[in-house]
Amino acid sequence: MALIDAQPYPFDLDPVRAALMIIDMQRDFLEPGGFGAALGNDVSLLRRTIAPSRQLLEEARAAGLTVIHTREGHRPDLADLPPTKKARGRLPAGIGDPGPMGRILVRGEDGHDIIPELYPAPGEPIVDKPGKGAFHATDLDAILKNRGIAQLIVCGVTTEVCVHTTVREANDRGYECVVVSDCVGSYFPEFHEIGLRMIAAQGGIFGWVAPCDAVVAAISETGRSGGWR
Ligand code: TIU
């Protein structure tokens, strides 16, 4: 066990029961030529999360933590795409349509894939999710339970959308979440800021918030104390 220096109070990390969860770090959200950029978003606001996430991923892998990746997207036949999600935004090119990196948010397309900097290693589960939350219509809960995971260290994009939805879903299912403040990002800085405050408010209503350095220090500390590396 090791304490993570977190808000609203220190988090007791149990590395045997903890997983690093990396949400939707996909090319279509993060790369300059992707869907997010085509919608007029400044992807540099998301790309600042890559370097600290990479550091955390390497530390988690070295320590033998479970690492889980998620991707938002849909079947090529779009049978799992709610018509309401397809219609939302009245976009000229929306989900399932041809985009800058293949069909937008469709599984198997280049834009749907995870960015090379954080690419999953063999054996790391990838959860394909049709919604914003990683628990909705996926086998994530079964994967976590089968591995005895009770704590989630959460990175990814975007803070107020897929990260928030997933953390809320996890919290209601009894998982303890630590959101890594510099490893999550939003196209809207004010939503990011308030989104993080909402997690830790009211005594940690949805979970904890801690910077990458504090999480890395705790993982490294428990690793040194032995027993699970
Ligand atoms: N992964 C995720 O957050 N999906 C989104 O659509 N996010 C937006 O902020 N649009």
Side-chain angles (χ1 to χ4, degrees), residues 160-171:
E160 79 280 12
V161 182
C162 292
V163 170
H164 239 268
T165 307
T166 298
V167 167
R168 288 168 184 238
E169 287 180 327
N171 183 58

Side-chain angles (χ1 to χ4, degrees), residues 23-24 26 29 72 129 132 157-158 160-163 187:
I23 312 266
D24 299 359
Q26 292 161 257
F29 293 127
E72 180 177 352
K129 61 193 208 25
K132 303 306 180 194
V157 297
T158 61
E160 79 280 12
V161 182
C162 292
V163 170
Y187 299 124

Side-chain angles (χ1 to χ4, degrees), residues 25-27 29-33 42-53 115-117 157 182 185-187:
M25 293 292 278
Q26 292 161 257
R27 299 184 61 199
F29 293 127
L30 284 123
E31 293 199 346
D42 174 4
V43 293
S44 71
L45 293 164
L46 268 51
R47 293 190 66 78
R48 64 164 187 76
T49 65
I50 298 173
S53 298
I115 57 169
E117 296 91 332
V157 297
D182 40 349
S186 169
Y187 299 124

Side-chain angles (χ1 to χ4, degrees), residues 99-113:
M101 288 195 264
R103 291 178 69 204
I104 294 164
L105 293 190
V106 169
R107 294 175 194 155
E109 303 286 338
D110 288 346
H112 174 265
D113 209 355

Side-chain angles (χ1 to χ4, degrees), residues 56-67:
L56 187 50
L57 176 59
E58 283 172 4
E59 189 67 29
R61 282 175 176 160
L65 249 71
T66 289
V67 177

